[in-house]
Amino acid sequence: MKKAPTKSEVRHVTARHAGELNATQQQAVRHGRSPLLIIAGAGTGKTLTLAHRTTHLIAERVPPHRILLLTFTRRAAESILHRVQTIRSHPPAKKPKGGNNDLAAAHKVWGGTFHASGARLLRIHGAAIGVDPRFTIHDQTDAADLLDVIRTELKLAEKRKDFPKKGTCQTTHSGWINSGLKLEAFIKASYPWCLKYLEGMQRLFQAYAERKRQQNIFDFDDLLLYWDKLLADPASGDAVRKRFDYVLVDEYQDTNPIQSRILQQLRPDGTGLTVVGDDAQSIYSFRGATVRNILDFPKQFPGTTIIKLEENYRSTEPILEATNRIIAQVTEGYGKHLRSSRTEGERPRLVACADEYAEARYVVEQILEHQKTAIPLQHQAVLFRASHHSLALEMELARRKIAFNKYGGLKFAEAAHVKDLVAFLRLAENPHDVVSGLRLLKLLPGIGPKKAQSIMDEFLTVGGDLDRLARCKVPAPAAPSWAEFLTLLRELTKEPVPKVAAQIRRVLKFFTPLLRQTYDEPEQRLEDLRKLCDLGERFEDRASFLAELTLEPPTSTQDIASASAQAKDFLVLSTIHSAKGLEWDVVMVINATEGAIPSNRAMETSAQLDEELRLFYVALTRARTWLTVTYPRYRASFQGNWGNWEPPTLTRFLAAAVRRWFQQSNA
């Protein structure tokens, strides 16, 4: 392991990144009024460039309130405008044209998210298209709750017990609106398992639109839809267009079709339009974003100037050598070759581990080694494709008492379906566990909270006697499951008690039909539960398994960081999607196997595979100095009630020609 860069080296890079502009950045900053597309590679200073361009426009006497800055988060807008203020407070020796160094200028820029800017404009101009400016805005949770009310009123769940739950209805509706597709086409492409509910969802969404209109409610998607309508109206559209001389857009690769349409209506010929983004980091199609927007920008706005930022201020040259070759495999994109002045450093590592638990142990050992060389845990991150991929690692970190925070996705042990399965084992271990008993009883058809409580009361009265419990009267819908439920409990409590993994497989046999009836996307949930079978193989008895699962992985990652008064530092665990835009000295990407990276749910089209490749690239380009990719040589695969070991395949994105840019080893 090579030595970390010295403080002076870091200061040099930071000063360059924070203050000075390279020649290409200066070209982008000083560009005129014709449409401009800035392709900003990872770590090339896009935020700095956008801030300097804004500052340059103000220095050229463009009134700040006639500049519209569109970002994807409020924090991003604030960061850019704060930089504008900082730049203007330290003007160059040569006074810019106009000499205006008013620090308040940055606050006059129309800066904010697409949604916030849309709401602001609709309150000013919306009356022209029939919008009451006193509208209220529902967030995603509010929207899901309203959909649930209407779903109940239409009796959709009564007609089909497995009709999608409110959360799925909300995400489906939002994705459909942002896609610009017809509902059937969108569901077929993105939620094919919902196709059988098409007629019901059409009714639900129609009623939802009418209810919002009646109550003068806008959800997030309405803010874009009505902004688009506002611009399409001849009178109001012209009034909005006349407000702005320049429109600057950050993270353009993450825009959806509606946002692209808004820009085309705001600046029909592209005059004064600047967009910044990186097609190689377009990874949010599940939110409705499309890489086509940035790829097709020059066609939509003829005469576009394309400027590529390729000088990377984040990573070492050996890391860029590898990542450049990985992203070169993409089917379509703007070719670029990132380079760094940090020529020293070791090549990234590719490590094959015996299994997922050996992988977890290796990762932890490397983290501790880096910590010994004065790299805090907070400057290290472990990234993964899906939240459940970190289960073995979380257990190992907890065992070693290493604090961590996890970002992206629900903690594995907190997921409802995981809690359900574990409840079977808890009730078998302790028949007085009322919480687990109530949870399980309410899974059975026809048993509601009151009936579940009466059954548990009787069960406790007879001291947990299963034979006495069998005499309880249950609602007719529950009768087919009742006898099997009691048989399962008897098997879990008989002597000798089966091994933990065998118990979990037996529970799965009973629980799988109930899970399919209770939850959306059951196959993904079953995949999660099979992970518990794998985990159970490591424990001799049920009690130790339950104790480890409950006590070691805390209920929240924030609790991990605060569990010890001395633990001021914490390791970062994150899904790759949640890591975008961030960077660490040390990055370790785990489970780089087919089915994980790329996801087995994203292999049907070349467009899906391209996005998975870009996602892998995003993960690797988070690393400043040390990058490691790991994968297990074997992992458990469960078919029916039997467990087998199978060798996973290394991700296709690390072909032989790419692997030679890595240090390869076994652990």
Side-chain angles (χ1 to χ4, degrees):
M1 186 179 299
K2 292 193 177 182
K3 188 174 66 172
T6 66
K7 290 183 179 179
S8 62
E9 291 172 331
V10 172
R11 278 197 299 270
H12 171 74
V13 173
T14 303
R16 176 73 183 275
H17 196 172
E20 301 175 14
L21 297 176
N22 62 42
T24 311
Q25 290 171 330
Q26 290 178 18
Q27 181 186 355
V29 166
R30 296 172 181 172
H31 181 78
R33 288 181 53 78
S34 63
L36 173 64
L37 170 60
I38 303 173
I39 300 298
T44 58
K46 72 172 182 63
T47 301
L48 179 69
T49 303
L50 202 53
H52 271 277
R53 177 150 177 77
T54 305
T55 306
H56 174 74
L57 293 175
I58 296 172
E60 290 293 306
R61 294 186 175 178
V62 176
H65 67 276
R66 298 190 63 79
I67 299 173
L68 175 61
L69 172 65
L70 296 170
T71 62
F72 274 80
T73 65
R74 180 177 57 82
R75 182 176 298 178
E78 290 174 349
S79 174
I80 293 170
L81 294 178
H82 176 74
R83 288 193 182 212
V84 170
Q85 184 173 345
T86 301
I87 295 166
R88 290 180 60 78
S89 67
H90 296 87
K94 185 179 178 181
K95 210 172 187 180
K97 183 178 178 181
N100 178 16
N101 289 315
D102 176 16
L103 296 182
H107 298 292
K108 297 176 183 176
V109 173
W110 271 62
T113 65
F114 270 89
H115 295 88
S117 298
R120 187 176 174 186
L121 288 167
L122 285 167
R123 294 196 192 280
I124 296 171
H125 299 282
I129 58 170
V131 171
D132 183 342
R134 295 169 297 178
F135 63 81
T136 55
I137 302 171
H138 274 190
D139 63 17
Q140 292 177 335
T141 302
D142 297 328
D145 288 341
L146 180 56
L147 280 163
D148 197 39
V149 169
I150 301 169
R151 176 178 174 273
T152 302
E153 291 175 356
L154 296 177
K155 299 182 179 180
L156 295 173
E158 290 183 22
K159 296 174 183 176
R160 301 201 63 161
K161 298 293 185 184
D162 57 349
F163 193 86
K165 304 296 181 291
K166 65 178 183 179
T168 299
C169 290
Q170 190 276 324
T171 55
T172 303
H173 179 270
S174 181
W176 164 53
I177 292 297
N178 286 295
S179 72
L181 300 173
K182 291 186 176 180
L183 181 58
E184 183 175 3
F186 173 75
I187 289 179
K188 188 178 294 185
S190 302
Y191 294 84
W193 62 274
C194 285
L195 206 53
K196 57 186 176 182
Y197 314 113
L198 178 61
E199 188 273 335
M201 296 187 101
Q202 286 174 328
R203 291 176 57 208
L204 175 63
F205 295 162
Q206 288 171 359
Y208 175 60
E210 178 59 22
R211 189 67 53 87
K212 288 187 296 178
R213 187 192 66 77
Q214 292 171 354
Q215 299 180 6
N216 198 29
I217 291 169
F218 279 21
D219 61 23
F220 283 174
D221 304 316
D222 291 326
L223 298 174
L224 299 182
L225 279 175
Y226 279 87
W227 187 5
D228 187 39
K229 291 179 182 179
L230 186 68
L231 290 167
D233 178 77
S236 60
D238 194 48
V240 173
R241 280 185 285 275
K242 287 180 178 178
R243 278 186 166 269
F244 306 110
D245 295 324
Y246 286 87
V247 178
L248 286 69
V249 186
D250 191 21
E251 302 285 12
Y252 190 63
Q253 78 280 350
D254 293 334
T255 53
N256 61 39
I258 300 176
Q259 290 163 325
S260 174
R261 203 160 61 233
I262 287 171
L263 291 182
Q264 291 179 62
Q265 294 201 78
L266 265 177
R267 317 307 299 170
D269 62 357
T271 300
L273 178 60
T274 297
V275 300
V276 183
D278 183 8
D279 55 294
Q281 297 185 70
S282 178
I283 59 174
Y284 292 118
S285 65
F286 65 93
R287 295 180 184 171
T290 171
V291 71
R292 295 305 332 164
N293 286 352
I294 195 167
L295 294 179
D296 296 341
F297 187 87
K299 297 177 186 176
Q300 295 169 347
F301 298 97
T304 292
T305 297
I306 301 174
I307 296 177
K308 299 178 184 178
L309 304 184
E310 298 176 294
E311 188 169 346
N312 178 286
Y313 297 102
R314 175 186 300 156
S315 305
T316 63
E317 188 66 24
I319 290 175
L320 294 181
E321 288 285 2
T323 55
N324 281 333
R325 284 163 176 79
I326 286 172
I327 197 58
Q329 301 171 94
V330 75
T331 303
E332 185 179 8
Y334 293 98
K336 54 186 174 295
H337 189 89
L338 300 189
R339 58 189 180 275
S340 173
S341 59
R342 297 179 61 200
T343 56
E344 296 297 322
E346 65 177 36
R347 286 184 296 161
R349 297 180 180 183
L350 176 61
V351 182
C353 304
D355 55 35
E356 292 167 290
Y357 299 102
E359 182 180 38
R361 290 191 296 272
Y362 173 79
V363 168
V364 171
E365 288 300 329
Q366 292 302 303
I367 288 163
L368 294 176
E369 283 296 316
H370 284 296
Q371 190 182 36
K372 289 178 183 176
T373 63
I375 300 177
L377 293 177
Q378 292 183 72
H379 293 181
Q380 304 186 54
V382 182
L383 308 182
F384 32 84
R385 174 64 178 84
S387 185
H388 67 270
H389 291 163
S390 65
L391 174 62
L393 177 60
E394 290 180 53
M395 300 290 284
E396 182 66 17
L397 290 168
R399 187 182 71 81
R400 302 284 291 270
K401 294 182 173 54
I402 299 173
F404 66 90
N405 277 3
K406 183 177 179 183
Y407 303 93
L410 188 67
K411 283 289 294 293
F412 184 92
E414 295 175 337
H417 55 292
V418 175
K419 286 180 173 291
D420 290 341
L421 187 142
V422 172
F424 285 98
L425 304 184
R426 292 193 190 284
L427 189 62
E429 187 70 13
N430 175 16
H432 299 285
D433 188 336
V434 176
V435 172
S436 294
L438 290 175
R439 186 179 192 95
L440 297 179
L441 290 170
K442 287 186 288 186
L443 288 172
L444 304 182
I447 296 182
K450 288 185 179 180
K451 185 61 179 177
Q453 188 65 59
S454 68
I455 293 174
M456 277 306 297
D457 289 343
E458 187 168 346
F459 188 44
L460 294 174
T461 301
V462 298
D465 186 330
L466 290 174
D467 292 329
R468 295 280 296 276
L469 183 65
R471 301 171 194 168
C472 286
K473 291 183 179 181
V474 297
S481 305
W482 184 243
E484 189 180 350
F485 175 65
L486 294 172
T487 299
L488 170 61
L489 289 179
R490 289 190 182 98
E491 291 181 12
L492 295 177
T493 54
K494 70 179 181 181
E495 296 291 343
V497 177
K499 289 188 176 181
V500 176
Q503 292 181 56
I504 295 172
R505 287 195 288 272
R506 178 64 184 89
V507 170
L508 267 177
K509 182 179 179 182
F510 173 78
F511 181 45
T512 296
L514 294 175
L515 182 144
R516 294 185 191 279
Q517 295 171 20
T518 305
Y519 296 108
D520 297 326
E521 300 187 79
E523 297 308 317
Q524 182 61 47
R525 295 176 187 269
L526 286 171
E527 182 181 331
D528 290 347
L529 297 182
R530 293 185 186 111
K531 286 278 187 180
L532 283 178
C533 293
D534 186 7
L535 184 62
E537 295 281 3
R538 302 176 61 201
F539 294 88
E540 293 295 322
D541 61 87
R542 184 170 59 210
S544 60
F545 170 80
L546 291 172
E548 179 100 352
L549 194 64
T550 304
L551 299 176
E552 293 298 339
T555 56
S556 75
T557 52
Q558 289 296 334
D559 290 342
I560 292 252
S562 59
S564 169
Q566 299 178 351
K568 296 180 181 179
D569 195 14
F570 58 85
L571 176 69
V572 175
L573 306 187
S574 177
T575 60
I576 301 171
H577 283 101
S578 296
K580 184 174 175 292
L582 303 175
E583 58 186 64
W584 295 272
D585 290 330
V586 177
V587 169
M588 306 191 77
V589 181
I590 63 174
N591 200 14
T593 59
E594 290 287 298
I597 305 174
S599 168
N600 55 18
R601 294 189 291 175
M603 297 186 185
E604 295 181 3
T605 67
S606 60
Q608 288 178 326
L609 283 171
D610 269 0
E611 179 153 334
E612 291 293 305
L613 173 60
R614 294 193 296 266
L615 188 64
F616 188 46
Y617 173 77
V618 165
L620 304 186
T621 53
R622 301 308 94 197
R624 294 190 191 108
T625 307
W626 290 280
L627 172 63
T628 300
V629 178
T630 65
Y631 67 100
R633 291 196 298 270
Y634 293 94
R635 66 178 164 216
S637 172
F638 290 92
Q639 303 294 331
N641 291 330
W642 299 97
N644 298 299
W645 288 92
E646 65 174 16
T649 305
L650 176 65
T651 175
R652 68 188 68 189
F653 302 144
L654 289 173
V658 175
R659 291 200 299 272
R660 73 187 190 88
W661 298 94
F662 287 76
Q663 303 176 66
Q664 300 181 59
S665 63
N666 297 325

